[in-house]
Amino acid sequence: VEGLAKGREEGRLEKGREYILRIGAKRFGKPSRKMRQTISQISHLDRLDAILERVLEVSSWNELIDE
């Protein structure tokens, strides 16, 4: 059961990262390699959720990630 919960959380993290990259690319253009790395290293769902909420409110990748 614990392994299943861990797997679900990792799946949600992966999907959140993917959404940020896809929506961000439409708004700000292709992210740099460094930005993709930064996003791929986010490991807290709360942080990903906060970034997703901001993606339509900011005007650049840097502004999106800098809180």
Side-chain angles (χ1 to χ4, degrees):
V1 174
E2 187 174 313
L4 184 60
K6 182 88 169 150
R8 284 185 182 151
E9 182 175 342
E10 185 56 42
R12 290 176 61 201
L13 286 167
E14 196 65 34
K15 204 50 132 167
R17 294 179 194 118
E18 179 185 327
Y19 288 150
I20 290 168
L21 290 170
R22 289 175 62 191
I23 296 167
K26 292 214 178 267
R27 292 232 345 125
F28 316 125
K30 185 178 175 182
S32 67
R33 176 185 289 186
K34 183 177 182 207
M35 185 59 64
R36 286 192 310 271
Q37 258 183 335
T38 298
I39 292 169
S40 73
Q41 292 173 351
I42 298 171
S43 60
H44 298 285
L45 287 172
D46 291 343
R47 173 89 167 112
L48 284 175
D49 287 343
I51 292 170
L52 277 169
E53 288 179 13
R54 289 171 40 90
V55 76
L56 298 176
E57 300 170 354
V58 299
S59 58
S60 71
W61 283 108
N62 288 336
E63 191 178 353
L64 179 64
I65 297 303
D66 295 337
E67 288 190 55

